[in-house]
Amino acid sequence: MTDEPGLIMNEEGSNALLARGAWTVANVERLEHLCAQISPEREGPIDLGGVTALDTVGAWLFEKLARRGAAGTSEAVFVGASASYAGLLREVHELNRAGSTERRQERLLIDRLMQIAQDVVADSAAFLHMLGAISIALGRVLRQPRAFRLTSTVYQLGRVGWQAIPIMALITFLIGAIIAQQGIFHFRKFGAESYVVDMVGILVLREIGVLIVAIMVAGRSGSAYTAELGSMKMREEIDALSTMGLDPVSVLILPRVLALIVALPILAFLGSMAALYGGGLVAWLYGGMSPAIFIARLRDAVSITHFEVGILKAPFMALVIGLVAACEGLKVKGSAESLGQQTTASVVKSIFLVIVLDGLFAVFFASIGM
Amino acid sequence: MPGGHIAIQVEDLVVGFSDHIVIDGLSLDVREGEILGLVGASGGGKSVLLRALIELLPKRSGRIGFPAFANGKAASRGVLFQQGALFSALNARQNVQFPLREAAHLSLELLDEIANVKLEMVGLSAEDGDKFPAELSGGMTKRVALARALALDPALLFLDEPTSGLDPIAAGEFDALIKTLQRTLGFTVFMITHDLNTLTAVCDRVAALADGKIAALGLLPEVLKSDHPWVRAYFHGARAQMLHLGA
């Protein structure tokens, strides 16, 4: 007897199917091919006398052949199966009676849009809920200053403020340098190189300084907040805090958000200075404008208003980043992949909201003439 | 079936990490078609032994052979990890299909049917196949993981604490499931367990791992008579007495 599987019609009238060889998963491609060649109208027993090996896959293929027989009215019988094969065939006989299940339907576009709309509404509600919870926690702290978590706040301030200074300064320095270089290169055609100082000064102080820093903070500290709070949620640490009678918002979230609100304006200021420094350096080395002239022109070009417009936005952006990070962190469920998803969502949403907020402020400041 | 060929043959196995020897000259035979239960202290090297057997950990010295199989290599083996180790990006049915998909080119219809058969075999319904690992309870995760381990009808099945994290009813059902499947499909099982109920209900033989060696091996009553201090403490402690094991 060979292990090569086979399936042939008995030519001598009994109408039986003769199976032989190893009906195992190792030969499954060949087996599927063999079974496909058998006509669905076939009736009669299946002879397993020549089968040398049988496993679940083989047994299922036999069962499928048997079920096809006589259009489902009666099922074909197996003959010549050894005792150990018969047990397996009996087992498989009971299984997969429901018929093959429908593959999950792709959802319609309209359903997806509905889902997105629902998510936006739910997100906004969670966002406002978190804003309310933080306001309540803040109110409680103002009434009882001893409840304030100073150590935690200072620690967070060190992490999101102090430790972030080098990377923020480096990036804003480069951005300032690039803006100045581009400005000099293109303004040179009109002989208007000196206006580069106006462009760099106003752009950096009003928009770029705070925006770049806020986006960096969302990516660096917002994601860290979400990951920390999320893993605390996952390991039931937040539930443990609640059962001890402590409010997770005042213990965990308020210090983090306050630290961001303090740190972001400072970082935005330092970032703006670094950008102006970068712009000045390029104007000197590439544009041939001496530092003294650059500073003198800068004094004429920018006013305290531009600086105020920029720096006033920073605490609000920090609040948005902190709220989104906290909301997403508390949305984490049991699994590690949900932690990853929420961290990604936190960064994407906070950067989006920071830019939207910047746009709203632009409209607001324009309308009040700042 | 028990008492036939040797399915897994371990001789003088040494496994360690840097200067810490975990498995120290261990020898063990697992017979074809039996269910061998391995007990041992937490951190005593049970999982290290299992990972060495399935080649996830390198051995320092010694020999691991599979004499009952052609070429002395286990042609196919299934592993049930403690946490299930289901692929989180795939649903339960796709998890079961994954080894099949890699092994052969089959029609989607046959893949779905085989996956449904396997899922029903481990006591789940075809509808459960649409669920993702994050949506499964602990018991269901173990069942899907078992279905995946059995996807290619392996001759050897390694189970790492199959009933840990299950309530006694679910654990009892899972024990019965392993026993039934083993009797039907005839594979060999190497199982790590802490569950004294599993040892009595499912295992043909029991091995006790202590000090990096097999301290006792045999039918459960024989192991219970062992003089080894750790084995005595394990089987004759208060928790074991509650199960009326103490002889």
Side-chain angles (χ1 to χ4, degrees):
Chain A
M1 249 188 294
T2 160
D3 278 351
E4 176 70 20
L7 185 67
I8 47 167
M9 294 292 287
N10 190 343
E11 301 296 332
E12 288 145 30
S14 74
N15 215 9
L17 271 176
L18 292 180
R20 59 183 163 77
W23 281 64
T24 58
V25 68
N27 297 324
V28 63
E29 284 173 45
R30 177 141 173 70
L31 292 175
E32 190 182 16
H33 187 64
L34 284 172
C35 291
Q37 288 175 336
I38 301 297
S39 145
E41 281 86 45
R42 188 204 64 85
E43 282 182 59
I46 302 172
D47 188 343
L48 306 188
V51 173
T52 55
L54 184 72
D55 64 9
T56 344
V57 172
W60 166 248
L61 287 167
F62 280 133
E63 175 65 22
K64 209 176 149 191
L65 279 176
R67 281 186 203 177
R68 275 197 322 197
T73 49
S74 69
E75 290 183 359
V77 286
F78 300 114
V79 293
S82 73
S84 59
Y85 297 165
L88 187 54
L89 288 167
R90 259 199 311 278
E91 174 79 14
V92 172
H93 185 65
E94 305 300 324
L95 300 176
N96 203 17
R97 283 281 163 188
S100 62
T101 46
E102 292 277 309
R103 297 195 149 255
R104 244 185 211 184
Q105 285 279 312
E106 277 298 302
R107 280 192 294 167
L108 292 168
L109 184 65
I110 189 83
D111 287 346
R112 283 199 207 156
L113 289 175
M114 287 290 287
Q115 186 63 46
I116 290 171
Q118 282 172 5
D119 287 350
V120 168
V121 171
D123 270 358
S124 313
F127 187 83
L128 290 176
H129 186 261
M130 182 58 69
L131 184 62
I134 289 180
S135 308
I136 291 170
L138 190 65
R140 201 177 301 141
V141 161
L142 290 177
R143 269 185 284 119
Q144 293 176 291
R146 287 169 69 196
F148 182 58
R149 310 250 150 198
L150 183 65
T151 319
S152 173
T153 311
V154 171
Y155 171 73
Q156 297 296 342
L157 196 54
R159 283 181 53 207
V160 303
W162 181 245
Q163 289 177 14
I165 290 174
I167 186 69
M168 298 296 167
L170 177 65
I171 287 186
T172 46
F173 169 82
L174 291 173
I175 297 276
I178 291 164
I179 292 173
Q181 188 272 334
Q182 287 293 307
I184 291 165
F185 182 79
H186 291 283
F187 285 3
R188 189 173 277 164
K189 293 174 195 159
F190 315 106
E193 287 144 279
S194 53
Y195 285 103
V196 162
V197 183
D198 300 59
M199 184 178 79
V200 170
I202 293 171
L203 206 53
V204 162
L205 290 180
R206 278 188 85 103
E207 294 291 335
I208 297 291
V210 65
L211 198 58
I212 293 290
V213 166
I215 288 171
M216 287 292 295
V217 164
R220 183 185 180 277
S221 309
S223 63
Y225 281 2
T226 305
E228 281 166 11
L229 292 170
S231 65
M232 287 184 194
K233 176 91 192 300
M234 245 167 82
R235 290 186 299 226
E236 298 178 318
E237 290 174 44
I238 289 176
D239 299 336
L241 266 180
S242 308
T243 56
M244 291 171 197
L246 294 164
D247 175 23
V249 175
S250 17
V251 176
L252 297 173
I253 297 174
L254 186 64
R256 285 181 163 75
V257 174
L258 282 182
L260 265 190
I261 291 176
V262 174
L264 192 53
I266 298 172
L267 288 174
F269 172 74
L270 294 174
S272 301
M273 294 305 114
L276 291 179
Y277 186 75
L281 208 59
V282 167
W284 182 29
L285 299 177
Y286 177 76
M289 181 186 286
S290 79
I293 296 174
F294 183 87
I295 290 170
R297 283 205 59 94
L298 193 63
R299 194 173 292 155
D300 291 341
V302 302
S303 67
I304 194 72
T305 313
H306 297 305
F307 176 72
E308 280 169 5
V309 165
I311 220 75
L312 270 175
K313 293 189 277 195
F316 294 95
M317 290 178 174
L319 182 65
V320 165
I321 294 168
L323 285 175
V324 170
C327 282
E328 295 296 326
L330 296 186
K331 264 196 241 167
V332 170
K333 297 191 185 67
S335 67
E337 55 171 339
S338 125
L339 181 62
Q341 278 170 2
Q342 300 306 336
T343 308
T344 311
S346 163
V347 175
V348 172
K349 285 178 192 171
S350 50
I351 290 178
F352 169 74
L353 286 178
V354 159
I355 293 174
V356 168
L357 192 65
D358 192 56
L360 292 177
F361 268 116
V363 174
F364 171 72
F365 285 127
S367 60
I368 64 167
M370 267 178 95
Chain B
M1 269 185 289
H5 300 292
I6 305 298
I8 312 173
Q9 191 168 40
V10 184
E11 285 168 13
D12 296 322
L13 182 70
V14 178
V15 184
F17 306 101
S18 57
D19 57 346
H20 176 51
I21 302 290
V22 182
I23 302 294
D24 188 7
L26 179 144
S27 295
L28 174 69
D29 285 345
V30 182
R31 296 173 192 154
E32 197 177 3
E34 77 168 345
I35 302 183
L36 182 87
L38 179 73
V39 298
S42 298
K46 299 186 302 296
S47 291
V48 172
L49 174 59
L50 183 119
R51 293 174 79 84
L53 290 182
I54 56 179
E55 293 166 52
L56 286 176
L57 281 178
K59 56 180 190 278
R60 287 267 175 86
S61 64
R63 219 183 66 80
I64 299 171
F66 303 93
F69 305 100
N71 316 325
K73 268 197 74 83
S76 60
R77 63 182 170 212
V79 185
L80 172 63
F81 289 94
Q82 204 172 340
Q83 311 290 338
L86 295 177
F87 302 123
S88 51
L90 306 178
N91 68 24
R93 182 175 297 108
Q94 290 165 335
N95 261 288
V96 178
Q97 288 169 346
F98 187 80
L100 283 164
R101 247 180 227 274
E102 295 299 308
H105 292 283
L106 297 179
S107 66
L108 284 178
E109 187 198 355
L110 186 62
L111 272 175
D112 276 354
E113 286 166 1
I114 294 175
N116 286 348
V117 166
K118 302 273 177 189
L119 285 171
E120 289 185 21
M121 230 175 199
V122 297
L124 297 169
S125 69
E127 287 78 48
D128 291 330
D130 289 326
K131 291 183 180 156
F132 280 85
E135 303 169 308
L136 298 171
S137 69
M140 287 166 83
T141 303
K142 296 261 185 188
R143 283 168 191 265
V144 175
L146 182 63
R148 188 181 70 179
L150 293 174
L152 293 176
D153 281 276
L156 268 175
L157 188 64
F158 295 90
L159 309 175
D160 192 354
E161 304 211 11
T163 55
S164 72
L166 300 185
D167 67 70
I169 298 172
E173 285 172 353
F174 202 74
D175 283 344
L177 173 67
I178 291 169
K179 189 87 174 169
T180 313
L181 287 174
Q182 195 269 341
R183 289 290 170 261
T184 316
L185 303 173
F187 46 75
T188 307
V189 180
F190 178 89
M191 176 198 297
I192 293 176
T193 185
H194 269 306
D195 191 333
L196 293 167
N197 284 316
T198 307
L199 286 179
T200 48
V202 178
C203 296
D204 296 316
R205 290 196 306 159
V206 175
L209 179 70
D211 310 323
K213 294 186 178 65
I214 297 296
L217 173 66
L219 302 173
L220 189 58
E222 296 166 26
V223 174
L224 289 174
K225 291 193 192 102
S226 164
D227 291 332
H228 193 280
W230 184 85
V231 179
R232 282 196 66 78
Y234 187 87
F235 287 107
H236 299 272
R239 286 162 68 94
Q241 295 287 0
M242 273 165 39
L243 295 165
H244 313 295
L245 267 175

